[in-house]
Each structure stands twice: as structure tokens, then as C-alpha cells.
Amino acid sequence: MTKAVPPVSTAMKHESGGALSFYGVWLIAAAALIVLPLVFSSGGSLTSFSLIGIAIIFALSYNILLGQTGLLSFGHAVQYGLGGFLSVHVMNAVASYDWPIPLPFIPLIGGVGGLAFATLVGWVMTKRAGTVFAMISLGIGELVASSSLILRSVFGGESGITTDRTALPHMFGWSFGPQLQVYYLIAFWVMISAIAMYALTRTPLGRICNAVRDNPERVQFIGYDPHVVRYLAYMFAGFFAGIAGGLTAINFEIANSAYLGATQSGIVLFAAFIGGTAYFFGPILGAILVTYLQLGLTNVTTVWQLYFGIIFIGIVMFAPGGIAGILMKHRPLIRARTLRTVIPSYLVAAVPTLAFALGIILTIETVARYTASEGEGNTINLAGIPFVATAPTTWAAAAVLLVGGFLVARITWRRVAEAWDRAATVARDRGYLA
């Protein structure tokens, strides 16, 4: 009896420590959301943080389909856009009829809009998975997007429908006119939505969704209907996508056909995949990166979508687990304290890899600006060095960086692989999986 006590107490300590660690992560995230606008208080920073918050909710909602249930959707923007349109209509109705609905509750209405559409079309869509579901989602997405230009009374045509968020009843004395107040509203819904979606992954439904993703035949054998599981996952994803759409409508005070298009669906797919669908925090990382790339690249180049495509291809080919997968691969080495043996190889490989990346950028920009007018239009500023797209030296520099960087990078990354194998072997010998 006395010998059985220590293991039980040790297990309790591990359980309590895990709980503290779990709650600590959420508390740190909440504190970061509160402190961020106090550190970066400019208007541009607040706008960027607001867009990132919306993108996080949208990407996590998409991951309910792709990462949790294995449903590749090309039309997830439909629920997002319909949630935004319903939110705008309700905001205008509240302002016109003096309904007692404060602005912080509008995203919930957007979620209901996304849920309603998912409930309506989801039963038919989720009868099949794989390519069939992907093609149906693409078709419905294009159907709704084209209908938004025809049904002007509902969608407002090409100009969309505008609203005024300050016309709604104030809450706690906030009019939600300043961007800072809008940011905190978005941050509140980011925390609520992220916690809810994480909790969903820990429920029996979330576990069955994973089982349907991996082996639907076995799920059916143990008594569950994969169709019903996919349908429920599709509805949850639509609900949270609608919340993101409602927040977007509040942030921009407009809803238009761009919310429903294939581009919006492609961006959320890109964010979820590049971040890593196998881990809950993966789409969060992807949403942050993609939003910053959108905001940054659109100001410096006209071919920013080409860079998105190159990054996506690179992730698919060399890191299918996304950024989160790369980070989690290092976890066993960190726990075994063997990562330090790999870092020197990383540093050596970083130099030619950077040269190769600069070569890609210089090549793309040179080709894109070659036919531009003389002067500032065909001048490329790369790492503080000006290049003229029509000059032969620019083409030569691009070729040297591209070819030379690629060849040297291949050699250095082979050495990284060798160092990684040695560190992983030591980690396994010490009892860690790598």
C-alpha cells in the first residue's frame, strides 16, 4: 500500500503541472494581445494586428476541415463572406430600428450566418470526401461569388454594402470608432474563438474527426457514420468562419464580393498549410506570416502573388508539415540537449540559402520590371543595393546569386542533414523520439 503512493503523487504532480502549463499558454496569449497595442501604438500597427486577428480565426476555422477532418475545401470563403454580409445587414437594421444589439455581439450573428449556410449545403457536400468534396466546394464557392454580383439587393453588386459601426448602441462607453477599440474587440473574439476551437479538438467529436480523416472505413466499422461526422465538422467550421467574416465587416465597415471569391479561399488554404495543419498553433503561425506578406509585399512589388506561389511550392516540396512541423521536429533535440550540435551547420547553410533567395527575388523583379518605363519603374532596390532591370550587370548578378547560391546551398544542407542524423541518434539513445 505504501509503495503505491509515490507513483500516484507523481502522476498528480505531472497532471497539475500540465494543467498549469496549459492555462499559462492561454494567459500569456491574452496578455500579449493586451500589451501589443501599448507597445506598437501607430495606426498602421493597429490595422495590421486587427487583420492578423481576423486571419487567425479564419485559418483555425479552415483547419477544422483540413487538419482535423481531412476535408480540402476550395470554397471556405463562402461562409466567411456570408457572415460578413449578414453582419452588415444586421448593423444597418440595428441603426435604423434602434435595436438594442451592441457591436460586440455582431460577430456572433456573422457566425450564425456561416452556420446557417453550412447547415443548408453541408449535408450534400459532405457525403463524399477527397476530390469530390473539393470540387463541390469550388463549384458552390464560384456559384455564390457570381451570384453576389447579380443579387444587388442582397449583396450590393460590385460596390458592396457599407455600414457605420459607430451608429450601434455603445457598450462600456466605447463607440468603436477608434481603431484601438476595434482591435480590442477583435482580440476578444480571437481568444474566445481560439479557446473554443481548441476545446473542440479535445472533445470526442474532435477525436472522431481525426479518425475519419485517417481511416473512415474503420470509423464506420465501430459504429459511427463518417458522413455525419464530416457534416458536423463542416458546420463548426462555417460558424467560426462566419465570426471572422463579421469581424472583417466591422473592421472595414463594408462587405463586398471579394469576401466570397476564390482568392479569399486560396489565401486561407495557404495560411493553414504553410503554418502546418497537424498542430493547432500551425494555422496561427501561417495567418500571421501570410497577413504580413500581404501587407508588406503589396507595397514593394506588383507580382506579390507569384511569391506566394513559390513559398507554397517550397513548403509542399521540402516541409509538408509546415512551419509548425519544422519547429516540432526540433523538440526532441532540445529536450535531449543535442540541438547545439546542429546550430553551426544551420549558420553555415544560411549564407548560401540567403544568396539563393536573393537570386530568386532579383530574377523575378528583373523580369517583371524589364519592360517598365525608364527611371524609377525599372529600378530594383535589393538589400539596400539599387539594380537597373535593363542593365546586363543586373542579369549577371541574378544568375550568380541564383545558380551559385543553389549549388553551394545543396552542399551545406547535406552537412546539415548529417549533423541532424547524429543529433537525432543521440536523442534516441537518451530516450527521446526524434
Side-chain angles (χ1 to χ4, degrees), residues 260-285:
L260 301 162
T263 300
Q264 197 70 41
S265 296
I267 288 175
V268 70
L269 167 61
F270 181 78
F273 193 87
I274 194 176
T277 58
Y279 301 94
F280 181 80
F281 68 92
I284 297 176
L285 299 179

Side-chain angles (χ1 to χ4, degrees), residues 10 27 52 72 113 142 191 244 255-256 276 400 409 417:
T10 303
L27 291 175
I52 288 173
L72 176 62
E142 291 302 305
M191 285 301 302
N256 54 37
V400 170

Side-chain angles (χ1 to χ4, degrees), residues 330-351:
H330 291 78
R331 187 180 180 185
L333 303 189
I334 294 174
R335 297 174 65 187
R337 298 181 181 179
T338 59
L339 182 61
R340 62 179 179 271
T341 62
V342 186
I343 291 177
S345 300
Y346 275 150
L347 296 177
V348 172
V351 177

Side-chain angles (χ1 to χ4, degrees), residues 91-102:
M91 289 168 67
N92 289 335
V94 169
S96 300
Y97 301 106
D98 294 327
W99 292 348
I101 303 178

Side-chain angles (χ1 to χ4, degrees), residues 293 296-305 307 364-365 368-369:
L293 285 176
L297 290 179
T298 52
N299 295 327
V300 297
T301 181
T302 58
V303 291
W304 59 272
Q305 292 176 323
Y307 290 103
I364 292 174
E365 294 301 323
R369 305 189 191 194

Side-chain angles (χ1 to χ4, degrees), residues 307 310 314 317-318 348-364 382 397-410 412-413:
Y307 290 103
I310 293 174
M317 293 180 61
F318 302 108
V348 172
V351 177
T353 303
L354 178 60
F356 178 57
L358 292 175
I360 293 175
I361 295 172
L362 186 57
T363 302
I364 292 174
L382 184 67
V400 170
L401 289 172
L402 189 64
V403 178
F406 173 75
L407 294 176
V408 178
R410 285 194 65 182
T412 55
W413 278 103

